[in-house]
Amino acid sequence: MMNKLIFGRYIPGDSFIHTMDPRAKLIASFYFIGIIFLANNWQSYAVLAIFTLFAIFLSKINIRFFIRGIRPLIWLISFTVILQMLFTQGGEIYFKWGIFTVTEFGVVNGLLIFCRFVLIIFMSTLLTLTTPPLDLSDAIEYLMRPLKVVGFPVHEVSLMLSIALRFVPTLMDETEKIMNAQRARGVDFGEGNLIQKMKAVVPLLIPLFVSSFNRAEDLATAMEARGYQGGDGRTKYRVLHWHLKDTIVMVAFVVLTVVLVLVRS
Amino acid sequence: MDIRFEEVDFTYQPNTPFEQRALFDLNLTIADGSYTAIVGHTGSGKSTLLQHLNALVKPTKGSVTIGDRKIVPETNNKNLKPIRKKVGIVFQFPEAQLFEETVARDIAFGPKNFGATGEEGAKLAAEMLDLVGLDSSYLERSPFELSGGQMRRVAIAGVLAMEPEVLVLDEPTAGLDPQGRKEMMEMFQHLHEERGMTIILVTHLMDDVANYADHVIVLEQGKIVKAGSPQEVFQEIDWLKEKQLGVPTAASFAEKLMAKGVTFEQLPLTADALADDLLNGLSKAGEDQ
């Protein structure tokens, strides 16, 4: 079930992208998602697509995995694209039925939105495939630091984030184990009608919650026993380093923005 | 009910970057009524093999025959319940599977899934709780207020309540105190002897293997590297040490005695066998004088 989900997982490697500073990657990904809305014609999308493909090439990860990453989201994408196609007015009318009209603008708009989705998914998949989750949470902590001024609990939030990320695989394993144990006791997951399906989840959810409580308690005890007293006055073991290549990537994004502004209509 | 593996391969997450092959061309037979032990290092594929025993996973190649059902890669996921009723699995740390409000309801959960009525379930719950060594005062308590060892017992009772023909145990005594460990192992032995239950035990404890099992399968990196009776498998102590699998305490003590010049007809595996051999040796020495 979860095996099919590529998005959000990390593939170890030592490519250009892998060794970038996670802060740079995080900023770059968010920036990319921002400037993708600048694109409004085929030329500008072509620029973005080439840029994305080049980034994927730099990561040395097979593009098949990116394409597979789209699969779970394909229904959402198709739904949005079809709505766009049916309800956008203007240009030559290809087809009309009641309130539904398929127009030239609609088709073009739908296709562009499709591209936008694919590019955003590619970029964010690239981020998660090349960045270990803990690096990501370090980067988020660093980038949230200015919020301290307004009293935002940056350390607590980032601690929760890194603990959460750390326990995602553990909880997944646990889920799988409990699921197997209950299946061995005759539970059919995902079979029958909606009510039966929901009922089948109870023997999975309750043990998961209970074990999470136990785990939280054990972890809190272990942390206190090791002298954890909160965020003040702590030093950091993992220190992030900003290299020349990160600056180069930032510059590349500035160039990309300029090119985009020039080619958009 | 025999369980037979024929050229079974298993790969996790095939065709992804996370692809990992866990079982390689396994051939094995677990005979009806036998007590089979599966040993091997962590990551040798024991737990993967175990999930094949009641069709929780299907082989990616080859076939697993459980009783009269043959599981091949193409097998449909429907109608596997009869297999799951016949092959009960006690997973590692089974206390994690408890969820009901009361112990009685949790034990009856399995039987009810296989079509038992409420009454039958309640009767089974009382019976099985007694079998695992807890008295009936526990029936109406919440499983979450029990101690770890008691929870383990309740969870095992929940599997036994399905009245399986084959009982699979994945390190059933891990984390238990010595007394609880002994009681637990004796209860399984009792089920094996009195009710003719086929038992498959996955363990790291070679003493348990020597004491109870009549067939041992040694796994290494997803392959069977040795199989046979405990006597055969434990005969080559050097090989076992090289594989870092451990040797039963009695056998390793006997080996030390052998280094001092004591001879045994056959390497004793259990404390009882060792004591008998030594006693025989002594009385023979007495007669000779």
Side-chain angles (χ1 to χ4, degrees), chain A residues 3 5-6 9-11 64-65 68 129 174 177-188 191 202-203 206-208 210, chain B residues 13 15-18 51 54-56 77-78 81 84 89 91-92 96-99 106-107 109-110 113-114 144 158-159 162:
Chain A
N3 298 346
L5 216 59
I6 294 286
R9 297 186 66 172
Y10 169 62
I11 303 180
R64 277 200 349 250
F65 304 133
R68 192 172 298 150
L129 283 185
E174 180 106 16
K177 264 176 54 188
I178 296 173
M179 232 170 145
N180 273 340
Q182 305 297 23
R183 278 164 74 201
R185 292 211 283 167
V187 180
D188 286 323
E191 272 176 42
V202 175
I206 292 179
L208 262 184
V210 171
Chain B
Q13 310 187 26
N15 308 321
T16 70
F18 314 103
Q51 292 177 38
N54 72 351
L56 285 174
N77 276 328
K78 298 232 156 63
K81 263 192 173 184
R84 308 235 164 100
I89 299 193
F91 284 94
Q92 237 173 71
Q97 74 194 30
L98 302 175
F99 73 100
D106 203 284
I107 299 176
F109 177 69
N113 282 328
F114 294 114
F144 298 112
V159 175
M162 304 178 336

Short mmCIF file of all heavy atoms in Angstrom, two decimals, chain A residues 3 5-6 9-11 64-65 68 129 174 177-188 191 202-203 206-208 210, chain B residues 13 15-18 51 54-56 77-78 81 84 89 91-92 96-99 106-107 109-110 113-114 144 158-159 162:
data_model
loop_
_atom_site.label_atom_id
_atom_site.label_comp_id
_atom_site.label_asym_id
_atom_site.label_seq_id
_atom_site.Cartn_x
_atom_site.Cartn_y
_atom_site.Cartn_z
N ASN A 3 4.00 1.24 -0.17
CA ASN A 3 5.17 1.00 -0.99
C ASN A 3 5.15 1.84 -2.24
O ASN A 3 6.18 2.17 -2.80
CB ASN A 3 5.22 -0.45 -1.44
CG ASN A 3 5.33 -1.36 -0.26
OD1 ASN A 3 5.62 -0.89 0.83
ND2 ASN A 3 5.09 -2.63 -0.47
N LEU A 5 4.11 4.84 -2.68
CA LEU A 5 4.29 6.27 -2.50
C LEU A 5 5.77 6.62 -2.61
O LEU A 5 6.57 6.27 -1.76
CB LEU A 5 3.75 6.66 -1.14
CG LEU A 5 3.07 8.02 -1.07
CD1 LEU A 5 1.90 8.06 -2.03
CD2 LEU A 5 2.59 8.27 0.34
N ILE A 6 6.13 7.35 -3.67
CA ILE A 6 7.51 7.76 -3.85
C ILE A 6 7.71 9.14 -3.23
O ILE A 6 8.69 9.40 -2.55
CB ILE A 6 7.85 7.83 -5.36
CG1 ILE A 6 7.81 6.43 -5.95
CG2 ILE A 6 9.19 8.48 -5.58
CD1 ILE A 6 8.96 5.56 -5.58
N ARG A 9 9.85 10.54 0.08
CA ARG A 9 10.88 9.61 0.55
C ARG A 9 12.26 10.08 0.10
O ARG A 9 12.38 10.95 -0.76
CB ARG A 9 10.59 8.22 0.03
CG ARG A 9 9.29 7.72 0.57
CD ARG A 9 9.04 6.33 0.19
NE ARG A 9 9.99 5.41 0.79
CZ ARG A 9 9.85 4.10 0.70
NH1 ARG A 9 8.84 3.59 0.08
NH2 ARG A 9 10.72 3.31 1.26
N TYR A 10 13.26 9.50 0.69
CA TYR A 10 14.62 9.96 0.44
C TYR A 10 15.43 8.84 -0.20
O TYR A 10 15.41 7.71 0.26
CB TYR A 10 15.25 10.37 1.77
CG TYR A 10 16.73 10.62 1.71
CD1 TYR A 10 17.24 11.63 0.90
CD2 TYR A 10 17.61 9.84 2.44
CE1 TYR A 10 18.60 11.85 0.85
CE2 TYR A 10 18.98 10.06 2.39
CZ TYR A 10 19.46 11.06 1.58
OH TYR A 10 20.80 11.28 1.52
N ILE A 11 16.10 9.15 -1.31
CA ILE A 11 17.01 8.18 -1.92
C ILE A 11 18.43 8.68 -1.70
O ILE A 11 18.80 9.75 -2.20
CB ILE A 11 16.77 8.06 -3.44
CG1 ILE A 11 15.32 7.66 -3.71
CG2 ILE A 11 17.72 7.03 -4.05
CD1 ILE A 11 15.02 7.51 -5.18
N ARG A 64 11.95 8.01 -14.07
CA ARG A 64 10.80 7.12 -13.86
C ARG A 64 10.18 7.31 -12.48
O ARG A 64 8.97 7.27 -12.32
CB ARG A 64 11.24 5.66 -13.99
CG ARG A 64 11.30 5.17 -15.40
CD ARG A 64 11.27 3.64 -15.49
NE ARG A 64 11.43 2.90 -14.27
CZ ARG A 64 12.51 2.16 -13.95
NH1 ARG A 64 13.53 2.12 -14.77
NH2 ARG A 64 12.55 1.48 -12.84
N PHE A 65 11.05 7.53 -11.48
CA PHE A 65 10.53 7.64 -10.13
C PHE A 65 9.73 8.92 -9.95
O PHE A 65 8.78 8.96 -9.18
CB PHE A 65 11.67 7.58 -9.12
CG PHE A 65 12.49 6.35 -9.27
CD1 PHE A 65 13.86 6.40 -9.30
CD2 PHE A 65 11.85 5.13 -9.44
CE1 PHE A 65 14.59 5.25 -9.48
CE2 PHE A 65 12.59 3.98 -9.61
CZ PHE A 65 13.96 4.04 -9.64
N ARG A 68 6.43 8.27 -11.53
CA ARG A 68 5.62 7.44 -10.65
C ARG A 68 5.05 8.26 -9.49
O ARG A 68 3.98 7.99 -8.99
CB ARG A 68 6.46 6.28 -10.11
CG ARG A 68 5.62 5.26 -9.43
CD ARG A 68 6.43 4.05 -9.07
NE ARG A 68 6.98 3.38 -10.22
CZ ARG A 68 8.12 2.71 -10.22
NH1 ARG A 68 8.83 2.64 -9.12
NH2 ARG A 68 8.55 2.09 -11.29
N LEU A 129 13.30 13.68 -2.40
CA LEU A 129 14.11 12.51 -2.76
C LEU A 129 15.58 12.72 -2.48
O LEU A 129 16.33 11.78 -2.29
CB LEU A 129 13.94 12.18 -4.25
CG LEU A 129 12.68 11.48 -4.71
CD1 LEU A 129 12.77 11.14 -6.18
CD2 LEU A 129 12.42 10.23 -3.92
N GLU A 174 5.24 -0.01 12.36
CA GLU A 174 4.32 -0.44 13.41
C GLU A 174 2.92 -0.70 12.81
O GLU A 174 2.29 -1.71 13.11
CB GLU A 174 4.25 0.67 14.46
CG GLU A 174 3.33 0.37 15.60
CD GLU A 174 4.09 0.02 16.86
OE1 GLU A 174 5.30 0.31 16.90
OE2 GLU A 174 3.47 -0.55 17.75
N LYS A 177 2.95 -3.87 10.98
CA LYS A 177 2.99 -5.02 11.88
C LYS A 177 1.63 -5.30 12.49
O LYS A 177 1.16 -6.44 12.51
CB LYS A 177 4.00 -4.75 13.01
CG LYS A 177 5.37 -5.34 12.75
CD LYS A 177 6.35 -4.96 13.82
CE LYS A 177 5.88 -5.32 15.22
NZ LYS A 177 6.78 -4.75 16.25
N ILE A 178 0.99 -4.24 12.98
CA ILE A 178 -0.31 -4.44 13.63
C ILE A 178 -1.33 -4.90 12.59
O ILE A 178 -2.15 -5.78 12.84
CB ILE A 178 -0.77 -3.15 14.33
CG1 ILE A 178 0.20 -2.81 15.46
CG2 ILE A 178 -2.17 -3.32 14.89
CD1 ILE A 178 -0.05 -1.49 16.11
N MET A 179 -1.23 -4.32 11.40
CA MET A 179 -2.14 -4.72 10.33
C MET A 179 -2.00 -6.22 10.05
O MET A 179 -3.00 -6.93 9.95
CB MET A 179 -1.78 -3.95 9.06
CG MET A 179 -2.94 -3.26 8.44
SD MET A 179 -2.32 -2.18 7.17
CE MET A 179 -3.63 -2.34 6.02
N ASN A 180 -0.75 -6.66 9.94
CA ASN A 180 -0.52 -8.09 9.70
C ASN A 180 -1.07 -8.93 10.83
O ASN A 180 -1.68 -9.97 10.59
CB ASN A 180 0.98 -8.35 9.55
CG ASN A 180 1.42 -8.17 8.13
OD1 ASN A 180 0.60 -8.20 7.21
ND2 ASN A 180 2.69 -7.95 7.94
N ALA A 181 -0.83 -8.47 12.07
CA ALA A 181 -1.29 -9.25 13.22
C ALA A 181 -2.81 -9.35 13.19
O ALA A 181 -3.37 -10.42 13.46
CB ALA A 181 -0.82 -8.60 14.51
N GLN A 182 -3.48 -8.25 12.85
CA GLN A 182 -4.95 -8.30 12.83
C GLN A 182 -5.46 -9.09 11.64
O GLN A 182 -6.48 -9.77 11.72
CB GLN A 182 -5.56 -6.89 12.85
CG GLN A 182 -5.09 -6.00 13.99
CD GLN A 182 -5.45 -6.49 15.38
OE1 GLN A 182 -5.68 -7.70 15.59
NE2 GLN A 182 -5.47 -5.61 16.34
N ARG A 183 -4.74 -9.00 10.53
CA ARG A 183 -5.15 -9.81 9.38
C ARG A 183 -5.03 -11.28 9.72
O ARG A 183 -5.87 -12.10 9.33
CB ARG A 183 -4.28 -9.48 8.16
CG ARG A 183 -4.75 -8.25 7.42
CD ARG A 183 -3.70 -7.74 6.50
NE ARG A 183 -3.54 -8.56 5.31
CZ ARG A 183 -2.44 -8.55 4.56
NH1 ARG A 183 -1.42 -7.81 4.89
NH2 ARG A 183 -2.38 -9.30 3.49
N ALA A 184 -3.98 -11.62 10.47
CA ALA A 184 -3.81 -13.01 10.88
C ALA A 184 -4.94 -13.43 11.81
O ALA A 184 -5.24 -14.61 11.95
CB ALA A 184 -2.47 -13.20 11.57
N ARG A 185 -5.59 -12.45 12.46
CA ARG A 185 -6.73 -12.78 13.32
C ARG A 185 -8.05 -12.65 12.56
O ARG A 185 -9.13 -12.60 13.17
CB ARG A 185 -6.77 -11.86 14.54
CG ARG A 185 -5.61 -12.12 15.48
CD ARG A 185 -6.00 -11.85 16.91
NE ARG A 185 -6.05 -10.43 17.25
CZ ARG A 185 -6.60 -9.98 18.38
NH1 ARG A 185 -7.14 -10.80 19.24
NH2 ARG A 185 -6.58 -8.70 18.63
N GLY A 186 -7.96 -12.53 11.25
CA GLY A 186 -9.18 -12.59 10.46
C GLY A 186 -9.81 -11.27 10.07
O GLY A 186 -10.95 -11.22 9.65
N VAL A 187 -9.08 -10.16 10.22
CA VAL A 187 -9.64 -8.87 9.79
C VAL A 187 -9.37 -8.69 8.30
O VAL A 187 -8.27 -8.95 7.83
CB VAL A 187 -8.98 -7.70 10.57
CG1 VAL A 187 -9.56 -6.38 10.13
CG2 VAL A 187 -9.16 -7.90 12.05
N ASP A 188 -10.39 -8.23 7.58
CA ASP A 188 -10.20 -7.89 6.16
C ASP A 188 -10.13 -6.38 6.05
O ASP A 188 -11.13 -5.70 6.25
CB ASP A 188 -11.37 -8.39 5.31
CG ASP A 188 -11.30 -9.88 5.13
OD1 ASP A 188 -10.20 -10.40 5.00
OD2 ASP A 188 -12.37 -10.51 5.13
N GLU A 191 -12.11 -4.20 2.66
CA GLU A 191 -13.13 -5.00 1.97
C GLU A 191 -14.49 -4.70 2.56
O GLU A 191 -14.62 -4.20 3.67
CB GLU A 191 -12.80 -6.50 2.11
CG GLU A 191 -11.89 -6.96 0.99
CD GLU A 191 -11.46 -8.41 1.16
OE1 GLU A 191 -12.31 -9.23 1.53
OE2 GLU A 191 -10.28 -8.69 0.92
N VAL A 202 -10.68 0.12 13.31
CA VAL A 202 -10.58 0.26 14.77
C VAL A 202 -9.46 -0.62 15.38
O VAL A 202 -8.63 -0.12 16.14
CB VAL A 202 -11.94 -0.04 15.44
CG1 VAL A 202 -11.82 -0.03 16.95
CG2 VAL A 202 -12.96 1.00 14.99
N PRO A 203 -9.40 -1.91 15.03
CA PRO A 203 -8.33 -2.75 15.60
C PRO A 203 -6.94 -2.32 15.17
O PRO A 203 -5.96 -2.81 15.70
CB PRO A 203 -8.62 -4.15 15.05
CG PRO A 203 -9.96 -4.10 14.47
CD PRO A 203 -10.29 -2.69 14.15
N ILE A 206 -6.60 1.82 17.39
CA ILE A 206 -6.45 1.85 18.84
C ILE A 206 -5.05 1.40 19.26
O ILE A 206 -4.38 2.12 19.99
CB ILE A 206 -7.57 1.04 19.53
CG1 ILE A 206 -8.88 1.78 19.30
CG2 ILE A 206 -7.30 0.88 21.02
CD1 ILE A 206 -10.08 1.12 19.87
N PRO A 207 -4.57 0.24 18.77
CA PRO A 207 -3.20 -0.12 19.15
C PRO A 207 -2.17 0.92 18.74
O PRO A 207 -1.20 1.17 19.46
CB PRO A 207 -2.95 -1.44 18.41
CG PRO A 207 -4.28 -1.99 18.13
CD PRO A 207 -5.19 -0.81 17.95
N LEU A 208 -2.39 1.56 17.59
CA LEU A 208 -1.43 2.57 17.14
C LEU A 208 -1.39 3.76 18.08
O LEU A 208 -0.32 4.25 18.44
CB LEU A 208 -1.81 3.06 15.74
CG LEU A 208 -1.08 2.43 14.58
CD1 LEU A 208 -1.50 3.09 13.29
CD2 LEU A 208 0.42 2.55 14.76
N VAL A 210 -2.36 3.77 21.25
CA VAL A 210 -1.82 3.33 22.54
C VAL A 210 -0.31 3.26 22.47
O VAL A 210 0.39 3.75 23.35
CB VAL A 210 -2.42 1.96 22.94
CG1 VAL A 210 -1.71 1.40 24.15
CG2 VAL A 210 -3.90 2.11 23.21
N GLN B 13 8.96 -4.39 -2.48
CA GLN B 13 8.83 -3.22 -3.34
C GLN B 13 9.53 -3.39 -4.68
O GLN B 13 10.44 -2.63 -5.01
CB GLN B 13 9.40 -1.99 -2.63
CG GLN B 13 8.87 -1.83 -1.25
CD GLN B 13 9.28 -0.53 -0.61
OE1 GLN B 13 9.55 0.45 -1.28
NE2 GLN B 13 9.31 -0.51 0.69
N ASN B 15 10.60 -3.23 -8.51
CA ASN B 15 10.59 -2.15 -9.50
C ASN B 15 10.55 -0.75 -8.91
O ASN B 15 9.95 0.15 -9.47
CB ASN B 15 9.41 -2.29 -10.48
CG ASN B 15 9.39 -3.67 -11.09
OD1 ASN B 15 10.44 -4.21 -11.40
ND2 ASN B 15 8.21 -4.23 -11.21
N THR B 16 11.11 -0.56 -7.73
CA THR B 16 11.27 0.78 -7.20
C THR B 16 12.74 0.92 -6.78
O THR B 16 13.45 -0.07 -6.71
CB THR B 16 10.40 1.02 -5.95
OG1 THR B 16 10.94 0.26 -4.88
CG2 THR B 16 8.96 0.63 -6.18
N PRO B 17 13.17 2.15 -6.48
CA PRO B 17 14.56 2.28 -6.01
C PRO B 17 14.76 1.60 -4.66
O PRO B 17 15.89 1.41 -4.22
CB PRO B 17 14.75 3.79 -5.89
CG PRO B 17 13.41 4.39 -5.97
CD PRO B 17 12.53 3.45 -6.67
N PHE B 18 13.65 1.25 -3.98
CA PHE B 18 13.78 0.64 -2.66
C PHE B 18 13.68 -0.89 -2.73
O PHE B 18 13.50 -1.56 -1.73
CB PHE B 18 12.71 1.19 -1.74
CG PHE B 18 12.59 2.68 -1.81
CD1 PHE B 18 11.56 3.27 -2.51
CD2 PHE B 18 13.55 3.49 -1.21
CE1 PHE B 18 11.47 4.65 -2.60
CE2 PHE B 18 13.46 4.85 -1.30
CZ PHE B 18 12.42 5.44 -1.99
N GLN B 51 5.63 -14.64 7.18
CA GLN B 51 4.41 -14.05 6.63
C GLN B 51 3.87 -14.83 5.44
O GLN B 51 2.72 -14.65 5.04
CB GLN B 51 4.66 -12.61 6.21
CG GLN B 51 4.92 -11.71 7.39
CD GLN B 51 5.23 -10.30 6.97
OE1 GLN B 51 4.65 -9.77 6.03
NE2 GLN B 51 6.17 -9.68 7.65
N ASN B 54 0.89 -17.89 6.29
CA ASN B 54 -0.58 -17.80 6.21
C ASN B 54 -1.01 -16.77 5.17
O ASN B 54 -2.02 -16.12 5.31
CB ASN B 54 -1.21 -17.55 7.57
CG ASN B 54 -0.97 -16.16 8.08
OD1 ASN B 54 -0.19 -15.41 7.50
ND2 ASN B 54 -1.63 -15.80 9.14
N ALA B 55 -0.19 -16.65 4.15
CA ALA B 55 -0.56 -15.86 2.97
C ALA B 55 -0.76 -14.38 3.27
O ALA B 55 -1.54 -13.71 2.61
CB ALA B 55 -1.80 -16.43 2.29
N LEU B 56 -0.05 -13.84 4.27
CA LEU B 56 -0.07 -12.39 4.47
C LEU B 56 0.66 -11.72 3.32
O LEU B 56 0.33 -10.61 2.92
CB LEU B 56 0.58 -12.01 5.79
CG LEU B 56 -0.25 -12.29 7.03
CD1 LEU B 56 0.54 -12.01 8.29
CD2 LEU B 56 -1.52 -11.47 7.03
N ASN B 77 -6.36 -12.07 -3.61
CA ASN B 77 -6.31 -11.81 -2.18
C ASN B 77 -7.60 -12.19 -1.46
O ASN B 77 -7.66 -12.14 -0.24
CB ASN B 77 -6.02 -10.33 -1.92
CG ASN B 77 -4.53 -10.05 -1.98
OD1 ASN B 77 -3.73 -10.92 -1.62
ND2 ASN B 77 -4.17 -8.88 -2.44
N LYS B 78 -8.62 -12.54 -2.21
CA LYS B 78 -9.88 -12.91 -1.56
C LYS B 78 -9.82 -14.38 -1.12
O LYS B 78 -9.01 -15.16 -1.60
CB LYS B 78 -11.02 -12.72 -2.57
CG LYS B 78 -11.15 -11.27 -3.00
CD LYS B 78 -12.56 -10.76 -2.84
CE LYS B 78 -12.59 -9.26 -2.68
NZ LYS B 78 -12.12 -8.50 -3.81
N LYS B 81 -9.11 -16.22 4.11
CA LYS B 81 -9.47 -16.37 5.52
C LYS B 81 -9.36 -17.81 6.03
O LYS B 81 -8.85 -18.02 7.13
CB LYS B 81 -10.87 -15.84 5.76
CG LYS B 81 -10.89 -14.43 6.29
CD LYS B 81 -12.29 -14.10 6.77
CE LYS B 81 -12.35 -12.78 7.47
NZ LYS B 81 -13.69 -12.52 8.01
N ARG B 84 -5.97 -18.41 7.12
CA ARG B 84 -5.59 -17.67 8.32
C ARG B 84 -6.17 -18.30 9.57
O ARG B 84 -5.62 -18.17 10.65
CB ARG B 84 -6.05 -16.22 8.20
CG ARG B 84 -5.60 -15.57 6.91
CD ARG B 84 -4.84 -14.30 7.13
NE ARG B 84 -4.14 -13.94 5.90
CZ ARG B 84 -4.59 -13.02 5.05
NH1 ARG B 84 -5.69 -12.36 5.30
NH2 ARG B 84 -3.90 -12.75 3.96
N ILE B 89 -0.71 -16.96 13.75
CA ILE B 89 0.64 -16.42 13.94
C ILE B 89 0.67 -15.54 15.19
O ILE B 89 -0.16 -14.64 15.35
CB ILE B 89 1.10 -15.58 12.73
CG1 ILE B 89 1.15 -16.45 11.48
CG2 ILE B 89 2.47 -14.99 13.00
CD1 ILE B 89 1.87 -15.81 10.33
N PHE B 91 2.85 -12.83 16.49
CA PHE B 91 3.95 -11.98 16.04
C PHE B 91 4.82 -11.57 17.21
O PHE B 91 4.47 -11.74 18.37
CB PHE B 91 3.41 -10.74 15.33
CG PHE B 91 2.92 -11.04 13.95
CD1 PHE B 91 1.59 -11.34 13.72
CD2 PHE B 91 3.80 -11.03 12.88
CE1 PHE B 91 1.15 -11.63 12.45
CE2 PHE B 91 3.36 -11.32 11.61
CZ PHE B 91 2.03 -11.62 11.40
N GLN B 92 5.97 -10.99 16.87
CA GLN B 92 6.86 -10.47 17.90
C GLN B 92 6.12 -9.40 18.69
O GLN B 92 5.42 -8.60 18.10
CB GLN B 92 8.06 -9.84 17.20
CG GLN B 92 9.36 -10.41 17.63
CD GLN B 92 10.46 -9.86 16.77
OE1 GLN B 92 10.82 -8.70 16.87
NE2 GLN B 92 10.99 -10.67 15.89
N ALA B 96 1.11 -5.67 21.28
CA ALA B 96 0.77 -4.46 20.52
C ALA B 96 -0.52 -4.61 19.73
O ALA B 96 -1.01 -3.64 19.18
CB ALA B 96 1.91 -4.11 19.58
N GLN B 97 -1.07 -5.81 19.66
CA GLN B 97 -2.27 -5.98 18.84
C GLN B 97 -3.56 -5.90 19.64
O GLN B 97 -4.64 -6.00 19.09
CB GLN B 97 -2.20 -7.32 18.09
CG GLN B 97 -2.45 -8.52 18.97
CD GLN B 97 -2.06 -9.81 18.28
OE1 GLN B 97 -1.16 -9.84 17.46
NE2 GLN B 97 -2.76 -10.88 18.60
N LEU B 98 -3.45 -5.72 20.97
CA LEU B 98 -4.66 -5.66 21.80
C LEU B 98 -5.38 -4.34 21.57
O LEU B 98 -4.76 -3.30 21.46
CB LEU B 98 -4.28 -5.79 23.27
CG LEU B 98 -3.52 -7.06 23.65
CD1 LEU B 98 -3.10 -7.00 25.11
CD2 LEU B 98 -4.38 -8.27 23.39
N PHE B 99 -6.69 -4.40 21.51
CA PHE B 99 -7.41 -3.13 21.31
C PHE B 99 -8.77 -3.09 21.96
O PHE B 99 -9.35 -2.02 22.12
CB PHE B 99 -7.56 -2.86 19.81
CG PHE B 99 -8.57 -3.74 19.13
CD1 PHE B 99 -9.85 -3.28 18.88
CD2 PHE B 99 -8.24 -5.02 18.79
CE1 PHE B 99 -10.77 -4.10 18.27
CE2 PHE B 99 -9.17 -5.85 18.18
CZ PHE B 99 -10.44 -5.38 17.93
N ASP B 106 -11.32 -9.14 23.53
CA ASP B 106 -10.14 -9.18 22.66
C ASP B 106 -9.82 -10.61 22.25
O ASP B 106 -9.50 -10.87 21.09
CB ASP B 106 -8.94 -8.52 23.34
CG ASP B 106 -7.94 -8.06 22.31
OD1 ASP B 106 -7.21 -8.93 21.78
OD2 ASP B 106 -7.89 -6.86 21.99
N ILE B 107 -9.92 -11.53 23.19
CA ILE B 107 -9.61 -12.92 22.85
C ILE B 107 -10.65 -13.45 21.87
O ILE B 107 -10.32 -14.19 20.93
CB ILE B 107 -9.54 -13.80 24.11
CG1 ILE B 107 -8.44 -13.29 25.03
CG2 ILE B 107 -9.29 -15.25 23.76
CD1 ILE B 107 -8.34 -14.02 26.34
N PHE B 109 -12.16 -11.86 19.66
CA PHE B 109 -12.18 -11.11 18.40
C PHE B 109 -11.83 -11.99 17.21
O PHE B 109 -12.53 -11.98 16.19
CB PHE B 109 -11.19 -9.94 18.51
CG PHE B 109 -11.06 -9.13 17.26
CD1 PHE B 109 -12.09 -8.33 16.82
CD2 PHE B 109 -9.88 -9.16 16.51
CE1 PHE B 109 -11.97 -7.58 15.66
CE2 PHE B 109 -9.75 -8.41 15.35
CZ PHE B 109 -10.80 -7.62 14.93
N GLY B 110 -10.77 -12.79 17.35
CA GLY B 110 -10.36 -13.67 16.27
C GLY B 110 -11.45 -14.65 15.88
O GLY B 110 -11.90 -14.68 14.73
N ASN B 113 -14.29 -13.15 14.01
CA ASN B 113 -14.00 -12.83 12.62
C ASN B 113 -14.16 -14.06 11.73
O ASN B 113 -14.41 -13.95 10.54
CB ASN B 113 -12.57 -12.31 12.48
CG ASN B 113 -12.48 -10.87 12.89
OD1 ASN B 113 -13.42 -10.11 12.73
ND2 ASN B 113 -11.35 -10.49 13.46
N PHE B 114 -13.96 -15.22 12.33
CA PHE B 114 -14.10 -16.45 11.55
C PHE B 114 -15.47 -17.07 11.73
O PHE B 114 -15.66 -18.25 11.47
CB PHE B 114 -13.00 -17.44 11.93
CG PHE B 114 -11.63 -16.95 11.54
CD1 PHE B 114 -10.69 -16.63 12.49
CD2 PHE B 114 -11.30 -16.80 10.20
CE1 PHE B 114 -9.44 -16.17 12.13
CE2 PHE B 114 -10.06 -16.34 9.83
CZ PHE B 114 -9.13 -16.03 10.79
N PHE B 144 -5.35 -2.90 28.74
CA PHE B 144 -4.30 -1.89 28.88
C PHE B 144 -3.89 -1.65 30.32
O PHE B 144 -2.95 -0.92 30.58
CB PHE B 144 -4.74 -0.59 28.21
CG PHE B 144 -4.95 -0.77 26.75
CD1 PHE B 144 -6.21 -0.67 26.19
CD2 PHE B 144 -3.88 -1.08 25.93
CE1 PHE B 144 -6.39 -0.88 24.84
CE2 PHE B 144 -4.07 -1.29 24.57
CZ PHE B 144 -5.33 -1.18 24.02
N GLY B 158 -5.48 -14.84 22.39
CA GLY B 158 -6.30 -14.39 21.27
C GLY B 158 -6.02 -15.16 20.00
O GLY B 158 -6.91 -15.38 19.18
N VAL B 159 -4.77 -15.56 19.81
CA VAL B 159 -4.43 -16.34 18.62
C VAL B 159 -4.86 -17.79 18.80
O VAL B 159 -5.43 -18.41 17.90
CB VAL B 159 -2.91 -16.25 18.32
CG1 VAL B 159 -2.54 -17.16 17.16
CG2 VAL B 159 -2.53 -14.82 18.01
N MET B 162 -8.47 -18.96 18.03
CA MET B 162 -8.91 -19.28 16.67
C MET B 162 -8.78 -20.76 16.40
O MET B 162 -9.14 -21.23 15.34
CB MET B 162 -8.08 -18.50 15.64
CG MET B 162 -8.13 -17.01 15.88
SD MET B 162 -7.14 -16.01 14.73
CE MET B 162 -5.92 -17.09 14.14
#
